[in-house]
Amino acid sequence: MRWSHLKRNTEPTANVADRPPGLDGLPVIGSTLSFIRNPLDFVRSIGEYGDVVRYVAFGREFVVISDPELVETVLVSRDNEFWKGEFESRLGDIVAPDGVFYAEGSDWRRQRSLLQSLFTPKRIEAYAADMVDETVRMTDGWTDGTIVNVREELSTFTLGVLTRSLFDLDLEDERADVVVRMVDALGEYVDAEMLGVRSVLPSWVPSKPERKFDRAMADLDALVESLVHEHRESEGESDDLLSLLATAEYPDGTTPSPNEVSDQLVQFLVAGHETSATALTYTCWLLANDPEMQRRLAREIETVCGDRNPRIDDLGSLTLSEAVINEAMRLYPPFPFIHRQPHESTTLGGYRIPPESTLQLPLSSVHLDDRWWRNAESFRPERWLPETEQNGNWKCDRPEYAYFPFGGGPRHCIGMRFAMTELQLSLAAMIRRIEFEPVTESLGPTWKVSLDPGPVKLRIRTRDR
Ligand code: HEM
């Protein structure tokens, strides 16, 4: 592999006509294979050579942006120059094309302002008790000494929280099966697409995962329609997202179409299910491997909650739990990459970026960059504690976008508050009841819809309460 113009390339001396430095001499197929084998290591190794570096894979040019200032430029200060891009929008064409995640321009603005009203602190408060109940239900099934695959258990848990908040359905309700089947079919479909199954079939032949997904999606559409009908008929007020969405009004007095309601809900499931499950899984695994931090956390929870379960008004006092979660998402960001594409030819960091290029913002490497993070690879929740607390000198100044697990700018995660409430409450409700001990020794995260750790087994020790 040979690198052209190897340098840290943030200096303003670059000629505007310059293309970013890139991988020369490695056949395109080589980059594609390296990316498929281990996208995180591959992209990180590219970042070693500069803050704006290009490579070619899957027949398209990617430009990796590793400088937090330039990440801010793309997501916030010059966000109107970029769109989500062809690379990511492939998934939008498959899944829920009428939803907010892949909408652009005025269509996106219209949807986003309507949905924003569903994620206010007051609304989220209404889901907090369910989040704790679901956690208690899960941990009640864990007896002392058993080994559990937390990856699987937490995936069921976050799906349970979402089916309650989105559809007002308990996972044990048989109608929730439709949601579970859709989520499974979607996972299989996306995995198959990523492995390129599609490319070996003519485009008019639906693949097996696609047929399965289409059937599951049709069932979900039917379920959404009957639930909307049921909720409209009922006298009482419902605060599940489906009911709120079905009755919400755009400024021109219209309400979202049934397809749009269903697509928005599917996108909430896709964006909010595995992301939260993997964030919690990594958090539990990191704690299992740091018994002293786990004890400190248990002490904090006991001081704040005493002998009751955590509540939403405890969150402000559970500073260490928040720090632990932030640190887990620094080391293992659930969304490891964000992509954008310029509408027109533009410049970034002094380099020319044509409209065909896909910008790749690698959270997975920026979060581990030793220019911003002392001892970047190690788990140190103390970095996130306020100065007044004993933070062991782990806190230091860094640019804002050295950490961006929920993205940034106008398209930042709409479910961020929902997710942080769920993560903090469920972590506190778990750690006051149980302690984790490590069984799975090391993790090999892979990039699926989110950063998947694979099976993570931990031994459960119940606490005497
Ligand atoms: C730990 C959990 C989560 C993480 C790390 C996460 C991360 C992200 C990130 C990085 C983006 C920005 C993507 C981009 O700019 O291209 C995003 C967008 C989004 N997220 Fe989340 N998310 C989480 C949970 C949730 C939840 C629980 C929901 C809904 C219930 C949700 C719904 C969305 C939606 C709808 C968008 C698109 C917003 C838009 O384009 O306007 N997310 N999320």
Side-chain angles (χ1 to χ4, degrees):
M1 183 188 309
R2 184 165 58 82
W3 291 85
S4 58
H5 327 285
L6 294 185
K7 60 184 176 174
R8 279 269 168 216
N9 48 348
T10 44
E11 70 272 26
T13 51
N15 183 322
V16 218
D18 278 355
R19 297 301 332 279
L23 274 181
D24 293 341
L26 185 72
V28 167
I29 189 80
S31 299
T32 308
L33 287 180
S34 307
F35 186 90
I36 290 175
R37 260 188 231 116
N38 193 335
L40 304 176
D41 281 359
F42 175 69
V43 172
R44 196 165 175 208
S45 71
I46 284 181
E48 302 277 312
Y49 295 96
D51 283 330
V52 184
V53 180
R54 75 191 148 81
Y55 69 94
V56 177
F58 308 104
R60 76 174 60 240
E61 181 180 276
F62 289 88
V63 176
V64 180
I65 308 288
S66 309
D67 173 11
E69 302 291 347
L70 294 178
V71 169
E72 192 276 346
T73 304
V74 174
L75 293 180
V76 191
S77 44
R78 283 169 44 198
D79 75 290
N80 57 351
E81 288 181 32
F82 306 94
W83 65 294
K84 288 246 168 167
E86 286 155 14
F87 182 65
E88 281 211 3
S89 300
R90 279 177 328 152
L91 198 61
D93 294 341
I94 304 171
V95 183
D98 289 334
V100 67
F101 210 97
Y102 297 105
E104 295 289 340
S106 55
D107 192 24
W108 168 77
R109 269 189 295 281
R110 188 173 127 91
Q111 295 188 33
R112 174 91 191 195
S113 61
L114 183 89
L115 297 177
Q116 201 76 50
S117 63
L118 310 182
F119 287 94
T120 57
K122 193 141 186 56
R123 292 270 180 229
I124 287 161
E125 223 179 292
Y127 309 127
D130 284 348
M131 292 168 177
V132 174
D133 285 353
E134 287 285 332
T135 316
V136 171
R137 177 149 81 170
M138 172 178 64
T139 51
D140 275 350
W142 297 348
T143 46
D144 190 51
T146 50
I147 294 178
V148 297
N149 179 353
V150 287
R151 169 74 183 92
E152 211 171 274
E153 297 267 329
L154 293 170
S155 180
T156 309
F157 159 72
T158 55
L159 186 59
V161 169
L162 276 175
T163 47
R164 278 208 198 188
S165 328
L166 299 180
F167 306 98
D168 193 21
L169 284 182
D170 191 288
L171 265 193
E172 277 164 15
D173 185 322
E174 61 184 33
R175 289 181 301 174
D177 268 0
V178 174
V179 182
V180 177
R181 268 192 286 119
M182 196 288 294
V183 168
D184 286 350
L186 174 74
E188 273 178 47
Y189 187 17
V190 171
D191 285 356
E193 283 291 314
M194 279 181 147
L195 283 173
V197 169
R198 196 92 216 51
S199 55
V200 298
L201 291 170
S203 60
W204 47 268
V205 180
S207 63
K208 201 173 160 204
E210 185 176 351
R211 287 197 305 273
K212 192 169 162 191
F213 173 71
D214 284 347
R215 277 197 304 273
M217 206 45 214
D219 290 347
L220 186 76
D221 283 341
L223 173 72
V224 168
E225 207 166 307
S226 83
L227 288 173
V228 169
H229 182 71
E230 198 178 289
H231 292 195
R232 280 190 183 141
E233 293 292 292
S234 77
E235 298 283 293
E237 276 205 359
S238 310
D239 55 16
D240 56 284
L241 287 171
L242 179 145
S243 309
L244 296 171
L245 194 52
T247 51
E249 278 190 8
Y250 285 114
D252 62 7
T254 56
T255 52
S257 68
N259 268 356
E260 191 190 325
V261 173
S262 170
D263 278 8
Q264 303 293 15
L265 294 172
V266 169
Q267 290 202 344
F268 293 159
L269 280 170
V270 177
H273 168 221
E274 291 296 14
T275 42
S276 309
T278 52
L280 260 184
T281 304
Y282 290 113
T283 305
C284 295
W285 186 79
L286 288 161
L287 284 173
N289 285 283
D290 188 342
E292 176 48 30
M293 182 50 66
Q294 201 171 176
R295 273 192 289 277
R296 273 182 73 181
L297 184 59
R299 278 199 299 276
E300 174 183 90
I301 297 163
E302 194 178 358
T303 311
V304 175
C305 307
D307 59 2
R308 59 165 175 79
N309 276 316
R311 296 189 300 240
I312 196 150
D313 49 0
D314 296 326
L315 294 189
S317 313
L318 292 169
T319 44
L320 188 58
S321 346
E322 190 181 359
V324 164
I325 290 160
N326 285 341
E327 182 69 346
M329 287 198 291
R330 181 183 71 80
L331 291 169
Y332 299 106
F335 265 114
F337 303 113
I338 290 178
H339 295 100
R340 292 290 187 269
Q341 208 174 319
H343 292 291
E344 291 172 4
S345 192
T346 188
T347 55
L348 214 48
Y351 292 102
R352 186 169 58 79
I353 313 285
E356 312 77 57
S357 293
T358 300
L359 301 178
Q360 191 161 51
L361 315 184
L363 291 79
S364 53
S365 8
V366 177
H367 286 189
L368 293 177
D369 190 325
D370 56 18
R371 286 176 293 171
W372 327 116
W373 304 98
R374 193 174 304 150
N375 209 342
E377 308 276 341
S378 60
F379 177 60
R380 293 286 175 184
E382 296 93 328
R383 311 174 195 273
W384 301 97
L385 296 178
E387 298 298 351
T388 46
E389 300 212 18
Q390 223 293 315
N391 62 35
N393 219 12
W394 279 96
K395 204 170 163 66
C396 56
D397 289 337
R398 62 182 77 93
E400 188 180 351
Y401 279 83
Y403 182 72
F404 56 115
F406 292 103
R411 296 205 77 140
H412 76 273
C413 177
I414 204 169
M416 177 171 87
R417 202 189 299 269
F418 181 102
M420 283 308 286
T421 305
E422 178 184 12
L423 298 179
Q424 254 187 292
L425 283 177
S426 57
L427 181 65
M430 276 194 277
I431 296 297
R432 69 172 287 270
R433 301 163 73 89
I434 52 140
E435 198 179 328
F436 293 111
E437 287 175 1
V439 176
T440 296
E441 282 173 13
S442 60
L443 305 181
T446 52
W447 184 35
K448 294 201 171 160
V449 175
S450 64
L451 186 64
D452 191 339
V456 178
K457 294 189 177 162
L458 299 179
R459 183 173 287 101
I460 303 298
R461 292 287 171 215
T462 50
R463 294 183 197 278
D464 297 331
R465 273 172 302 118

